[in-house]
Amino acid sequence: MNEFDIIKHYFTKASHRKDVIMGPGDDCALLQVPANTLLAVSTDTLVSGVHFFADMDPTALGHKALAVNLSDLAAMGADPCWVSLAITLPEVDEVWIKQFCAGFFELSEYYNVALVGGDTTKGPLSITVTVHGTLPLGKGLLRSGAQVGDGIYVTGTLGDAALGLQQALGNIQVPKAHQEFVRNKFEYPHPRILVGQALRDIATSALDLSDGLAGDLAHICRASGLRAQIEVDQLPLSDAMQASISQEQGWELALTGGDDYELCFTVSELHRGQLETALSHCGVKFTRIGRMFSGEPNVELVHEGKPYQIVNQSWDHFRKV
Ligand code: ADP
Ligand code: MG
């Protein structure tokens, strides 16, 4: 199979979207952008040995490569529409490509995102995905909009992907009953698209959690010129986390572990009730974990009214795979 056969056979899929005037196969994709619409565009690259284990299950990899990009659209509150895929493969392994596509297209079809183009090259395994979404003019959940007094919220539970990584590395023994849950959280993150859309008119700022809450929330602090205070005992920890490690270790993973792809956002106290209503149909749990204050942009941790410090645990949590 040469490059063109691979593209034709695996990466050219008819889409039901009427706004795809030209998909893969010509010099450019042609996409009909509705009037009075903002285009939201985001790119992420996953490199073998850096962002994922070289022997990662290709179906999970196909899912994750798209999921981490869709997560950025979610964090902006955008509606996902189109995606392009630049893939560098060390060899033509059709079984591998087929499985990769199964993971990729299952997720793209779920959100009705059309693969409209890309690039296929030979070299060390690497995957670059660019997603395109739309937003009504004037909308978009920026990092810079947080206000003094806003509550800080996160979706889902935190640190589970990091727990999955530590399990894979053999650093933490997760009880059998919870092993699949944490492996899935690590390999099959779910972009919080519905939540992002529901937050469009409510949240003052938002981002997705890719590098760990403490570091990611600091981006909101800097962009908004505010200080964030987190009550560590409010951090949502999964049953799997609580069954595997101590509470303090769980807080540390929740604050510093990457790859969760949950949303972190701020909402004015005035809109607290509206937030409950808006998110009730999304089927995703969300938790208030702190508040924004004026002051030096910084993330402060508190526990029972006192400053709290993360104790570095014995495992190497900064290690990427
Ligand atoms: P060009 O030489 O014009 O860059 P290519 O030979 O790289 O064209 O690609 C041919 C067509 O196939 C283009 O429309 C491109 O968008 C599409 N394509 C290439 N690789 C992929 C891929 N992995 N997924 C989807 N479309 C692809
Ligand atoms: Mg090309």
Side-chain angles (χ1 to χ4, degrees):
M1 262 202 162
N2 67 24
E3 174 196 334
F4 298 105
D5 296 330
I6 297 172
I7 296 169
K8 198 161 162 224
H9 200 78
Y10 293 106
F11 297 121
T12 307
K13 262 204 164 194
S15 160
H16 299 298
R17 293 191 69 102
K18 292 202 174 64
D19 51 15
V20 179
I21 311 302
M22 184 69 219
D26 214 307
D27 297 317
C28 292
L30 292 177
L31 310 168
Q32 175 85 51
V33 184
N36 296 320
T37 295
L38 284 178
L39 199 54
V41 182
S42 179
T43 298
D44 262 311
T45 296
L46 298 183
V47 177
S48 175
V50 179
H51 302 101
F52 60 91
F53 295 117
D55 64 353
M56 180 171 177
D57 171 45
T59 308
L61 184 59
H63 173 99
K64 193 164 178 173
L66 179 56
V68 303
N69 276 274
L70 290 177
S71 178
D72 283 312
L73 287 184
M76 193 50 89
D79 302 326
C81 301
W82 313 295
V83 60
S84 58
L85 166 68
I87 186 162
T88 305
L89 298 165
E91 58 183 338
V92 178
D93 176 345
E94 286 197 60
V95 174
W96 191 96
I97 297 173
K98 208 179 266 173
Q99 290 176 5
F100 176 89
C101 285
F104 187 93
F105 286 117
E106 192 187 353
L107 186 61
S108 70
E109 278 160 22
Y110 183 83
Y111 286 110
N112 194 23
V113 177
L115 177 63
V116 295
D119 204 16
T120 305
T121 50
K122 193 173 154 97
L125 180 59
S126 156
I127 295 137
T128 297
V129 172
T130 301
V131 284
H132 304 251
T134 54
L135 273 165
L137 266 189
K139 299 290 175 190
L141 298 170
L142 305 183
R143 297 173 175 191
S144 53
Q147 303 287 323
V148 173
D150 284 356
I152 304 168
Y153 297 81
V154 292
T155 56
T157 52
L158 301 183
D160 297 318
L163 183 63
L165 171 60
Q166 294 307 325
Q167 171 184 252
L169 292 170
N171 292 339
I172 295 177
Q173 187 60 41
V174 175
K176 235 190 169 64
H178 297 291
Q179 287 179 1
E180 198 185 328
F181 170 83
V182 298
R183 193 176 329 107
N184 275 332
K185 289 288 244 179
F186 179 48
E187 294 192 331
Y188 288 90
H190 284 288
R192 300 302 191 189
I193 295 290
L194 287 181
V195 175
Q197 291 166 339
L199 290 176
R200 225 182 250 168
D201 296 313
I202 300 172
T204 51
S205 72
L207 49 58
D208 64 324
L209 297 174
S210 53
D211 297 331
L213 175 67
D216 287 332
L217 179 56
H219 295 307
I220 288 184
C221 292
R222 281 190 291 272
S224 301
L226 297 177
R227 177 168 63 92
Q229 203 174 78
I230 299 298
E231 313 262 351
V232 288
D233 55 4
Q234 300 301 310
L235 292 169
L237 302 182
S238 66
D239 292 344
M241 181 76 85
Q242 295 182 48
S244 304
I245 54 180
S246 73
Q247 191 175 55
E248 286 73 20
Q249 290 175 315
W251 291 340
E252 189 199 342
L253 279 192
L255 288 160
T256 64
D259 268 356
D260 277 328
Y261 300 102
E262 297 293 348
L263 296 186
C264 174
F265 54 95
T266 55
V267 176
S268 147
E269 288 297 274
L270 288 173
H271 294 136
R272 218 166 156 166
Q274 204 182 329
L275 175 67
E276 296 278 343
T277 315
L279 294 197
S280 60
H281 72 279
C282 296
V284 177
K285 151 191 157 115
F286 65 100
T287 310
R288 191 180 191 279
I289 57 167
R291 246 180 92 185
M292 301 302 293
F293 292 87
S294 63
E296 276 295 291
N298 198 5
V299 177
E300 278 175 16
L301 309 175
V302 294
H303 181 41
E304 292 172 346
K306 296 195 201 78
Y308 183 82
Q309 283 223 317
I310 303 172
V311 192
N312 271 348
Q313 306 296 336
S314 54
W315 67 78
D316 182 8
H317 57 85
F318 291 112
R319 200 194 128 170
K320 291 268 177 184
V321 293

